[in-house]
Amino acid sequence: MRGKTVNLKSSSRKKKKKELRSKMKGTLVRHLQVQLGPNCQSSSSSSSSMTKPSHFQTILESEAIPERQQLPFSSPRNTDLDNTVDDKDFILSQDFFCTPDYITPDNQNLLKSFSSNEESMPCPKSPEKLNTIKSKRRRQDDFSLNPLSPTLSDIQEMVEFENDDCDVDEVKMENITASGTKRVQSYVSQSAVALRCRVMPPPCIKNPYIKAASGMGMDPFGNQRSKCADLFAATIGGNGLSRYHTDFHEIEFIGSGNFSRVLKVLKRIDGCLYAVKHSIKQLHQDSERRKALMEVQCLGALGSHENIVGYYSSWFENEQLYIQMELCDCSLSINGSHQLLSETEVLEAVHQIAKALQFIHERGIVHLDVKPDNIYVKNGVYKLGDFGCATLIDKSLPIEEGDARYMPQEVLNERYDHLEKVDIFSLGICMLELIRGSSLPESGRLNVKEGKLPLLPGRSLHLQNLIKAMVDPDPIKRPSAKDLVENPLFRKAPQNART
Ligand SMILES: Nc1ncnc2c1ncn2[C@@H]1O[C@H](COP(=O)(O)OP(=O)(O)OP(=O)(O)O)[C@@H](O)[C@H]1O
Ligand SMILES: [Mg+2]
């Protein structure tokens, strides 16, 4: 029966709810039969001619009887109950209804609206708690699993870190073995349990980067999503519960931009390293949170590509947006401490970022903040990151241009007719700086924006012409990302050149 319960938990709850209820009724009846004896059922059925309470209601009413000693049949038979209980195959009502998975948070408007035609069913208290060896053994079984991962047993090694700043209250679970001796078995993080059962799930939000090709008609949430798009989940973490600290062990600070800090972390449950980026400022306004969310919505809509920094998950905590990403080795920041790239490596980097741009442009998305700081390297593969300014080519979303040093003149003049060519211009400036090995001075930038390219001594004419075309003041004359990817100049660049 327990295995069945676990299976049901993992399946769609809404579909199974009704079926579960009927099973639960039956289960409770059997439970009561075991505890109260067979008379219980006949007495309840005898009242059916009056107000016809359901059998389940009758059972619930019987909760009014506070403790076992008040029941009419605390007979000698009852003293054997604990033993007989061990052999019965049933679920304690409290176990069934009140496990964290079955708690429906208050004020969960979205779920309420989906199940409005279903009767509301309060979580009943257990008719009585059986402090039997069996019930404790079941709990022991439950908690011998890693609370953060029901699939990991305590036999599997858990890595412990000194100076872990995760402030977790721990509860020692005492286990009583069959022989009755007590031993300390495992530790359960209260925060982890509390997170699972008390935190209100965030609403579902329509992703503006996913075009309506799939259609709202196909969308199981329909327009319910926009109705409940108040991002109240931003309060998670305000009460001291931290998903960041529960799920991750912080290793070191990696870097920061104008809006975010990025940290290298180890995910506790899978033992893998990630980068977690979080907004520096608390996002108090719903509008601020929506704007920040656009970065993860874009990453989520794009899906994976070898030349785009991988996205894993995101959440609000303490009114800050956290983004779990693929960890890269470093960025191509010109002022960074890493070695200068050779021409071949620059060509490889530009070629790979052009592939990323082709991928996103084909999906109707533009990055609008392409610059060396936002190009990362991992094992010699170049990846475009920081989608904080990404928007839609069709201008149906607000446009916020990125770093002005890498923006073409038309954007500075607020002309947004060929947004995808903005990314090409920015990549052209990146290429120029990477070839030079230094940032362009302000005067040099102005010249480039006017179409005057500085000479690059010792570089091939092909290379200089390509950069010139990429930074052409007329966006129409700039090559597309696809043109770049197919440019024969890049064929000479070795695949996956190592930095
Ligand atoms: N996935 C990653 N792996 C390794 N380092 C990263 C990663 N993401 C970001 N970084 C580092 O963190 C720095 C800041 O990240 P990011 O550019 O995303 O922040 P930001 O505040 O949005 O920046 P900006 O000021 O450019 O808008 C980067 O320059 C880079 O050094
Ligand atoms: Mg950045």
Side-chain angles (χ1 to χ4, degrees):
M1 178 63 90
R2 180 139 202 109
K4 195 171 183 180
T5 309
V6 171
N7 287 338
L8 286 171
K9 279 181 182 178
S10 64
S11 67
S12 166
R13 278 177 215 156
K14 266 185 270 173
K15 283 182 187 169
K16 296 282 182 188
K17 209 167 179 179
K18 217 151 192 160
E19 192 186 327
L20 277 173
R21 277 189 196 146
S22 66
K23 284 186 183 172
M24 288 188 285
K25 287 177 192 175
T27 304
L28 277 167
V29 171
R30 293 176 63 202
H31 181 189
L32 270 282
Q33 280 177 350
V34 170
Q35 293 180 69
L36 309 180
N39 293 340
C40 171
Q41 188 167 11
S42 59
S43 69
S44 76
S45 59
S46 68
S47 66
S48 62
S49 60
M50 299 176 66
T51 53
K52 286 202 173 180
S54 71
H55 200 67
F56 184 52
Q57 283 173 316
T58 310
I59 293 163
L60 292 184
E61 282 156 15
S62 72
E63 284 179 54
I65 303 166
E67 291 297 335
R68 189 192 298 188
Q69 66 268 20
Q70 292 185 18
L71 298 174
F73 25 73
S74 54
S75 61
R77 186 182 177 284
N78 210 28
T79 57
D80 294 327
L81 193 56
D82 289 350
N83 298 329
T84 54
V85 163
D86 288 353
D87 302 328
K88 299 294 176 185
D89 184 22
F90 65 81
I91 304 165
L92 293 179
S93 60
Q94 183 169 346
D95 286 346
F96 193 91
F97 285 103
C98 297
T99 48
D101 279 351
Y102 284 86
I103 289 179
T104 303
D106 292 335
N107 196 23
Q108 195 176 357
N109 297 332
L110 179 62
L111 291 181
K112 267 187 193 166
S113 64
F114 290 153
S115 57
S116 56
N117 56 350
E118 293 183 32
E119 60 185 281
S120 64
M121 182 176 288
C123 178
K125 292 181 186 113
S126 176
E128 63 184 35
K129 187 112 169 70
L130 296 177
N131 291 320
T132 62
I133 291 171
K134 178 74 171 185
S135 65
K136 289 211 171 185
R137 189 167 63 75
R138 285 185 173 184
R139 287 173 190 280
Q140 170 192 328
D141 291 343
D142 290 345
F143 286 115
S144 68
L145 299 175
N146 178 346
L148 300 179
S149 164
T151 57
L152 284 181
S153 79
D154 57 355
I155 300 166
Q156 286 175 281
E157 196 180 7
M158 296 291 293
V159 182
E160 293 195 356
F161 296 93
E162 286 178 15
N163 304 323
D164 191 338
D165 57 2
C166 174
D167 187 15
V168 176
D169 297 324
E170 290 179 327
V171 181
K172 286 182 183 178
M173 298 304 300
E174 284 183 345
N175 287 305
I176 302 181
T177 61
S179 62
T181 57
K182 287 183 179 180
R183 66 189 172 95
V184 175
Q185 177 73 14
S186 59
Y187 295 85
V188 176
S189 150
Q190 275 189 337
S191 299
V193 174
L195 267 174
R196 274 190 78 205
C197 64
R198 290 193 204 117
V199 169
M200 194 186 305
C204 300
I205 302 162
K206 180 171 171 7
N207 186 327
Y209 295 94
I210 296 177
K211 276 297 170 192
S214 54
M216 287 294 279
M218 302 279 288
D219 183 348
F221 295 102
N223 62 5
Q224 296 286 351
R225 303 212 269 196
S226 49
K227 283 182 190 160
C228 66
D230 172 32
L231 302 173
F232 48 74
T235 55
I236 293 172
N239 57 0
L241 298 176
S242 166
R243 174 168 166 185
Y244 176 63
H245 287 296
T246 303
D247 287 1
F248 302 95
H249 170 76
E250 192 173 293
I251 294 178
E252 63 185 21
F253 169 78
I254 298 178
S256 61
N258 292 317
F259 308 100
S260 320
R261 295 180 82 236
V262 181
L263 296 126
K264 179 178 177 178
V265 297
L266 179 83
K267 189 160 188 187
R268 297 174 192 276
I269 203 164
D270 62 19
C272 295
L273 293 169
Y274 296 93
V276 167
K277 167 173 171 172
H278 70 82
S279 42
I280 295 169
K281 265 181 40 184
Q282 283 189 308
L283 309 170
H284 297 299
Q285 305 295 322
D286 201 47
S287 56
E288 293 177 296
R289 296 194 284 268
R290 281 170 189 279
K291 194 167 162 292
L293 262 185
M294 289 176 72
E295 179 172 357
V296 291
Q297 290 177 327
C298 179
L299 288 167
L302 280 172
S304 79
H305 185 278
E306 193 190 13
N307 302 116
I308 292 176
V309 173
Y311 162 70
Y312 291 93
S313 72
S314 52
W315 67 98
F316 277 110
E317 179 174 321
N318 197 25
E319 295 190 306
Q320 289 159 299
L321 178 63
Y322 284 72
I323 309 175
Q324 180 196 351
M325 296 177 293
E326 174 183 17
L327 177 69
C328 299
D329 304 332
C330 60
S331 80
L332 291 189
S333 173
I334 295 292
N335 302 320
S337 55
H338 75 92
Q339 289 179 321
L340 287 182
L341 301 186
S342 68
E343 181 176 317
T344 312
E345 288 167 337
V346 172
L347 286 175
E348 181 61 29
V350 171
H351 191 218
Q352 291 188 18
I353 297 306
K355 285 184 191 168
L357 291 179
Q358 183 186 0
F359 179 79
I360 69 170
H361 292 172
E362 281 172 359
R363 282 152 185 78
I365 293 171
V366 281
H367 186 278
L368 291 196
D369 200 15
V370 177
K371 59 179 179 178
D373 290 5
N374 292 337
I375 298 173
Y376 309 133
V377 197
K378 185 184 179 187
N379 299 332
V381 178
Y382 299 92
K383 293 172 187 269
L384 185 59
D386 190 359
F387 281 71
C389 294
T391 190
L392 290 172
I393 293 177
D394 67 8
K395 298 179 272 181
S396 57
L397 284 179
I399 295 169
E400 192 194 325
E401 64 253 34
D403 193 326
R405 295 173 300 167
Y406 297 84
M407 290 295 114
Q409 198 56 45
E410 80 261 12
V411 163
L412 301 175
N413 295 338
E414 299 189 10
R415 287 199 339 262
Y416 305 122
D417 298 332
H418 304 278
L419 280 179
E420 72 284 7
K421 297 295 181 73
V422 176
D423 286 342
I424 303 298
F425 179 92
S426 306
L427 185 59
I429 302 261
C430 291
M431 191 169 172
L432 185 55
E433 292 190 330
L434 291 170
I435 289 281
R436 282 166 49 98
S438 64
S439 300
L440 279 174
E442 197 50 43
S443 57
R445 276 175 207 288
L446 288 175
N447 285 337
V448 171
K449 288 177 189 183
E450 289 170 7
K452 295 177 222 154
L453 197 70
L455 282 176
L456 295 168
R459 306 296 174 179
S460 72
L461 203 58
H462 285 309
L463 182 93
Q464 298 200 42
N465 282 341
L466 180 65
I467 297 176
K468 199 168 184 343
M470 289 170 77
V471 296
D472 197 294
D474 181 354
I476 297 172
K477 290 187 181 158
R478 292 174 209 147
S480 67
K482 186 169 181 285
D483 294 336
L484 285 179
V485 169
E486 291 167 1
N487 191 305
L489 190 69
F490 294 112
R491 293 215 189 104
K492 292 182 199 152
Q495 291 298 308
N496 294 340
R498 297 286 181 267
T499 53

